[in-house]
Amino acid sequence: LNQGVFRAIQVFEFSPTTQQAAEARFLRAFFSFWVLDTWGVVLGREPGEELVQPPSSNLGRAEGIDFIISELEDILADLPDTNTNGRATKNAARALLMKAYLNKAVYKATGADGAAQAGPFNHAAADMNAVIGYANEIINSGQFELDEDYFDSFRPDNASLSSENIFVI
């Protein structure tokens, strides 16, 4: 996961186009989300940063989820509309934003030491409305529909077989 974050950051060393930069930032947010979910931190480096030094960015749970949401909302307009397997798109970002907003209250529930706290969690109405809004945008894109066979989404050739997967590699 950290390798994915690192490789996404490397893209910025090569003067990417606006779309390439947006796709790299999506991948950084995607991998950062899973690092945050698994270990409770978001680590990062600036392009060209010395690798023998600790990462310059070390965000805890609360700051990490804010960073991920901010990154995704900032790049949304620069991502392509059309769903292409293995590529970052607007709908891939929307799906990750839905997951981030749906779980934001969990990541924000930290103790004085920054450790995760048990629920119940206070989900803000604005966050839940953001989840609904992004879900509606995906549904209204007309690019996806539920498959008749649930297991098509999990087959080795799911990229071509399933019409409901959003971000498939």
Side-chain angles (χ1 to χ4, degrees), residues 51-74:
L51 297 179
V52 296
Q53 300 298 320
S56 60
S57 176
N58 185 346
L59 304 175
R61 295 167 53 84
E63 302 84 13
I65 197 65
D66 287 340
F67 167 76
I68 291 165
I69 289 171
S70 173
E71 274 290 278
L72 292 169
E73 289 181 337
D74 192 43

Side-chain angles (χ1 to χ4, degrees), residues 75-82 88-95 97 138:
I75 62 167
L76 196 55
D78 295 327
L79 291 169
D81 289 311
T82 306
T89 63
K90 284 183 170 81
N91 284 324
R94 289 175 182 131
L97 277 162
I138 292 171

Side-chain angles (χ1 to χ4, degrees), residues 10-94:
Q10 279 184 309
V11 170
F12 297 102
E13 294 182 36
F14 300 98
S15 303
T17 65
T18 302
Q19 181 177 320
Q20 290 168 337
E23 290 179 36
R25 288 174 69 187
F26 168 82
L27 289 172
R28 178 174 60 183
F30 176 81
F31 288 114
S32 292
F33 179 83
W34 291 110
V35 171
L36 177 67
D37 194 56
T38 306
W39 291 285
V41 296
V42 171
L43 302 174
R45 299 180 181 279
E46 293 299 318
E49 189 174 303
E50 187 62 46
L51 297 179
V52 296
Q53 300 298 320
S56 60
S57 176
N58 185 346
L59 304 175
R61 295 167 53 84
E63 302 84 13
I65 197 65
D66 287 340
F67 167 76
I68 291 165
I69 289 171
S70 173
E71 274 290 278
L72 292 169
E73 289 181 337
D74 192 43
I75 62 167
L76 196 55
D78 295 327
L79 291 169
D81 289 311
T82 306
N83 189 42
T84 306
N85 293 325
R87 298 292 298 267
T89 63
K90 284 183 170 81
N91 284 324
R94 289 175 182 131

